[in-house]
mmCIF file of all heavy atoms in Angstrom:
data_model
loop_
_atom_site.group_PDB
_atom_site.id
_atom_site.type_symbol
_atom_site.label_atom_id
_atom_site.label_comp_id
_atom_site.label_asym_id
_atom_site.label_seq_id
_atom_site.Cartn_x
_atom_site.Cartn_y
_atom_site.Cartn_z
ATOM 1 N N VAL A 25 32.306 3.349 5.884
ATOM 2 C CA VAL A 25 30.963 3.334 6.475
ATOM 3 C C VAL A 25 30.419 1.911 6.450
ATOM 4 O O VAL A 25 29.902 1.403 7.453
ATOM 5 C CB VAL A 25 30.020 4.292 5.712
ATOM 6 C CG1 VAL A 25 28.567 4.064 6.094
ATOM 7 C CG2 VAL A 25 30.413 5.737 5.948
ATOM 8 N N VAL A 26 30.542 1.264 5.312
ATOM 9 C CA VAL A 26 30.023 -0.095 5.153
ATOM 10 C C VAL A 26 30.821 -1.093 5.994
ATOM 11 O O VAL A 26 30.247 -1.957 6.662
ATOM 12 C CB VAL A 26 30.029 -0.493 3.657
ATOM 13 C CG1 VAL A 26 29.724 -1.962 3.471
ATOM 14 C CG2 VAL A 26 29.034 0.375 2.901
ATOM 15 N N ILE A 27 32.136 -0.962 5.992
ATOM 16 C CA ILE A 27 32.981 -1.859 6.783
ATOM 17 C C ILE A 27 32.621 -1.757 8.263
ATOM 18 O O ILE A 27 32.508 -2.767 8.956
ATOM 19 C CB ILE A 27 34.478 -1.533 6.554
ATOM 20 C CG1 ILE A 27 34.888 -1.943 5.142
ATOM 21 C CG2 ILE A 27 35.354 -2.235 7.591
ATOM 22 C CD1 ILE A 27 36.209 -1.355 4.708
ATOM 23 N N ASP A 28 32.413 -0.537 8.749
ATOM 24 C CA ASP A 28 32.030 -0.352 10.154
ATOM 25 C C ASP A 28 30.764 -1.131 10.482
ATOM 26 O O ASP A 28 30.675 -1.775 11.528
ATOM 27 C CB ASP A 28 31.818 1.132 10.474
ATOM 28 C CG ASP A 28 33.101 1.901 10.634
ATOM 29 O OD1 ASP A 28 34.173 1.275 10.759
ATOM 30 O OD2 ASP A 28 33.035 3.147 10.626
ATOM 31 N N GLU A 29 29.783 -1.054 9.602
ATOM 32 C CA GLU A 29 28.513 -1.749 9.856
ATOM 33 C C GLU A 29 28.675 -3.267 9.773
ATOM 34 O O GLU A 29 28.171 -4.003 10.611
ATOM 35 C CB GLU A 29 27.436 -1.267 8.885
ATOM 36 C CG GLU A 29 27.070 0.190 9.060
ATOM 37 C CD GLU A 29 26.560 0.543 10.449
ATOM 38 O OE1 GLU A 29 25.799 -0.252 11.042
ATOM 39 O OE2 GLU A 29 26.934 1.618 10.953
ATOM 40 N N LEU A 30 29.382 -3.730 8.745
ATOM 41 C CA LEU A 30 29.544 -5.178 8.579
ATOM 42 C C LEU A 30 30.374 -5.789 9.707
ATOM 43 O O LEU A 30 30.051 -6.870 10.199
ATOM 44 C CB LEU A 30 30.163 -5.497 7.213
ATOM 45 C CG LEU A 30 29.311 -5.112 6.000
ATOM 46 C CD1 LEU A 30 30.061 -5.421 4.704
ATOM 47 C CD2 LEU A 30 27.961 -5.803 6.008
ATOM 48 N N PHE A 31 31.434 -5.095 10.135
ATOM 49 C CA PHE A 31 32.256 -5.612 11.221
ATOM 50 C C PHE A 31 31.596 -5.405 12.582
ATOM 51 O O PHE A 31 32.102 -5.853 13.592
ATOM 52 C CB PHE A 31 33.672 -5.036 11.184
ATOM 53 C CG PHE A 31 34.570 -5.771 10.227
ATOM 54 C CD1 PHE A 31 34.617 -5.436 8.884
ATOM 55 C CD2 PHE A 31 35.341 -6.838 10.666
ATOM 56 C CE1 PHE A 31 35.424 -6.135 8.001
ATOM 57 C CE2 PHE A 31 36.151 -7.547 9.787
ATOM 58 C CZ PHE A 31 36.188 -7.195 8.455
ATOM 59 N N ASN A 32 30.440 -4.749 12.593
ATOM 60 C CA ASN A 32 29.651 -4.625 13.813
ATOM 61 C C ASN A 32 28.514 -5.646 13.827
ATOM 62 O O ASN A 32 27.593 -5.555 14.616
ATOM 63 C CB ASN A 32 29.110 -3.207 13.970
ATOM 64 C CG ASN A 32 28.596 -2.929 15.360
ATOM 65 O OD1 ASN A 32 29.025 -3.532 16.332
ATOM 66 N ND2 ASN A 32 27.651 -2.017 15.460
ATOM 67 N N GLY A 33 28.591 -6.614 12.920
ATOM 68 C CA GLY A 33 27.643 -7.722 12.942
ATOM 69 C C GLY A 33 26.488 -7.648 11.970
ATOM 70 O O GLY A 33 25.692 -8.575 11.885
ATOM 71 N N LYS A 34 26.369 -6.566 11.228
ATOM 72 C CA LYS A 34 25.265 -6.478 10.271
ATOM 73 C C LYS A 34 25.566 -7.305 9.031
ATOM 74 O O LYS A 34 26.720 -7.510 8.655
ATOM 75 C CB LYS A 34 25.011 -5.033 9.853
ATOM 76 C CG LYS A 34 24.313 -4.216 10.905
ATOM 77 C CD LYS A 34 23.889 -2.862 10.342
ATOM 78 C CE LYS A 34 23.145 -2.068 11.393
ATOM 79 N NZ LYS A 34 22.750 -0.744 10.883
ATOM 80 N N VAL A 35 24.522 -7.770 8.397
ATOM 81 C CA VAL A 35 24.573 -8.416 7.092
ATOM 82 C C VAL A 35 23.704 -7.541 6.198
ATOM 83 O O VAL A 35 22.521 -7.354 6.477
ATOM 84 C CB VAL A 35 24.041 -9.868 7.164
ATOM 85 C CG1 VAL A 35 24.011 -10.492 5.789
ATOM 86 C CG2 VAL A 35 24.886 -10.694 8.125
ATOM 87 N N LEU A 36 24.307 -6.972 5.150
ATOM 88 C CA LEU A 36 23.632 -5.958 4.339
ATOM 89 C C LEU A 36 23.694 -6.273 2.853
ATOM 90 O O LEU A 36 24.703 -6.786 2.372
ATOM 91 C CB LEU A 36 24.286 -4.588 4.570
ATOM 92 C CG LEU A 36 24.296 -4.046 5.991
ATOM 93 C CD1 LEU A 36 25.214 -2.833 6.089
ATOM 94 C CD2 LEU A 36 22.887 -3.683 6.427
ATOM 95 N N THR A 37 22.653 -5.893 2.146
ATOM 96 C CA THR A 37 22.654 -5.999 0.687
ATOM 97 C C THR A 37 23.377 -4.782 0.107
ATOM 98 O O THR A 37 23.609 -3.787 0.809
ATOM 99 C CB THR A 37 21.218 -6.026 0.137
ATOM 100 O OG1 THR A 37 20.600 -4.773 0.431
ATOM 101 C CG2 THR A 37 20.406 -7.183 0.737
ATOM 102 N N ALA A 38 23.694 -4.840 -1.170
ATOM 103 C CA ALA A 38 24.337 -3.710 -1.840
ATOM 104 C C ALA A 38 23.448 -2.475 -1.770
ATOM 105 O O ALA A 38 23.939 -1.353 -1.581
ATOM 106 C CB ALA A 38 24.661 -4.064 -3.291
ATOM 107 N N THR A 39 22.153 -2.654 -1.887
ATOM 108 C CA THR A 39 21.221 -1.529 -1.819
ATOM 109 C C THR A 39 21.243 -0.895 -0.432
ATOM 110 O O THR A 39 21.279 0.331 -0.295
ATOM 111 C CB THR A 39 19.793 -1.995 -2.174
ATOM 112 O OG1 THR A 39 19.819 -2.546 -3.496
ATOM 113 C CG2 THR A 39 18.806 -0.853 -2.109
ATOM 114 N N GLU A 40 21.260 -1.719 0.616
ATOM 115 C CA GLU A 40 21.328 -1.191 1.982
ATOM 116 C C GLU A 40 22.658 -0.475 2.224
ATOM 117 O O GLU A 40 22.696 0.583 2.852
ATOM 118 C CB GLU A 40 21.141 -2.320 3.000
ATOM 119 C CG GLU A 40 19.736 -2.904 2.995
ATOM 120 C CD GLU A 40 19.626 -4.204 3.766
ATOM 121 O OE1 GLU A 40 20.617 -4.982 3.814
ATOM 122 O OE2 GLU A 40 18.535 -4.457 4.326
ATOM 123 N N CYS A 41 23.735 -1.048 1.709
ATOM 124 C CA CYS A 41 25.053 -0.408 1.830
ATOM 125 C C CYS A 41 25.059 0.927 1.111
ATOM 126 O O CYS A 41 25.612 1.913 1.613
ATOM 127 C CB CYS A 41 26.145 -1.317 1.254
ATOM 128 S SG CYS A 41 26.467 -2.809 2.210
ATOM 129 N N ALA A 42 24.452 0.983 -0.065
ATOM 130 C CA ALA A 42 24.392 2.216 -0.852
ATOM 131 C C ALA A 42 23.652 3.313 -0.084
ATOM 132 O O ALA A 42 24.081 4.466 -0.069
ATOM 133 C CB ALA A 42 23.720 1.953 -2.195
ATOM 134 N N GLU A 43 22.552 2.950 0.565
ATOM 135 C CA GLU A 43 21.790 3.921 1.351
ATOM 136 C C GLU A 43 22.635 4.472 2.498
ATOM 137 O O GLU A 43 22.631 5.673 2.758
ATOM 138 C CB GLU A 43 20.508 3.283 1.889
ATOM 139 C CG GLU A 43 19.480 3.006 0.816
ATOM 140 C CD GLU A 43 18.295 2.193 1.320
ATOM 141 O OE1 GLU A 43 18.153 2.003 2.556
ATOM 142 O OE2 GLU A 43 17.509 1.730 0.480
ATOM 143 N N LEU A 44 23.361 3.603 3.179
ATOM 144 C CA LEU A 44 24.226 4.029 4.283
ATOM 145 C C LEU A 44 25.311 4.987 3.819
ATOM 146 O O LEU A 44 25.631 5.959 4.502
ATOM 147 C CB LEU A 44 24.907 2.823 4.934
ATOM 148 C CG LEU A 44 24.072 1.948 5.836
ATOM 149 C CD1 LEU A 44 24.837 0.683 6.203
ATOM 150 C CD2 LEU A 44 23.690 2.711 7.098
ATOM 151 N N ALA A 45 25.895 4.693 2.658
ATOM 152 C CA ALA A 45 27.047 5.453 2.158
ATOM 153 C C ALA A 45 26.657 6.631 1.276
ATOM 154 O O ALA A 45 27.523 7.418 0.881
ATOM 155 C CB ALA A 45 27.980 4.524 1.386
ATOM 156 N N GLY A 46 25.378 6.749 0.945
ATOM 157 C CA GLY A 46 24.941 7.851 0.094
ATOM 158 C C GLY A 46 25.356 7.693 -1.358
ATOM 159 O O GLY A 46 25.645 8.683 -2.035
ATOM 160 N N LEU A 47 25.394 6.436 -1.825
ATOM 161 C CA LEU A 47 25.775 6.148 -3.207
ATOM 162 C C LEU A 47 24.638 5.430 -3.916
ATOM 163 O O LEU A 47 23.695 4.962 -3.290
ATOM 164 C CB LEU A 47 27.021 5.250 -3.237
ATOM 165 C CG LEU A 47 28.294 5.792 -2.614
ATOM 166 C CD1 LEU A 47 29.377 4.719 -2.635
ATOM 167 C CD2 LEU A 47 28.775 7.031 -3.350
ATOM 168 N N THR A 48 24.765 5.306 -5.227
ATOM 169 C CA THR A 48 23.813 4.489 -5.968
ATOM 170 C C THR A 48 24.167 3.020 -5.733
ATOM 171 O O THR A 48 25.330 2.680 -5.434
ATOM 172 C CB THR A 48 23.887 4.770 -7.479
ATOM 173 O OG1 THR A 48 25.186 4.371 -7.953
ATOM 174 C CG2 THR A 48 23.630 6.239 -7.782
ATOM 175 N N PRO A 49 23.194 2.114 -5.881
ATOM 176 C CA PRO A 49 23.500 0.690 -5.716
ATOM 177 C C PRO A 49 24.581 0.197 -6.677
ATOM 178 O O PRO A 49 25.425 -0.613 -6.290
ATOM 179 C CB PRO A 49 22.158 -0.003 -5.978
ATOM 180 C CG PRO A 49 21.143 1.018 -5.561
ATOM 181 C CD PRO A 49 21.743 2.345 -5.985
ATOM 182 N N SER A 50 24.616 0.714 -7.905
ATOM 183 C CA SER A 50 25.645 0.250 -8.842
ATOM 184 C C SER A 50 27.031 0.731 -8.414
ATOM 185 O O SER A 50 28.009 -0.020 -8.495
ATOM 186 C CB SER A 50 25.335 0.687 -10.276
ATOM 187 O OG SER A 50 25.299 2.089 -10.376
#
Side-chain angles (χ1 to χ4, degrees):
V25 167
V26 170
I27 290 165
D28 283 346
E29 295 301 320
L30 296 177
F31 277 86
N32 195 27
K34 285 189 178 179
V35 176
L36 301 169
T37 65
T39 301
E40 292 167 329
C41 291
E43 289 172 11
L44 285 171
L47 299 175
T48 64
S50 61

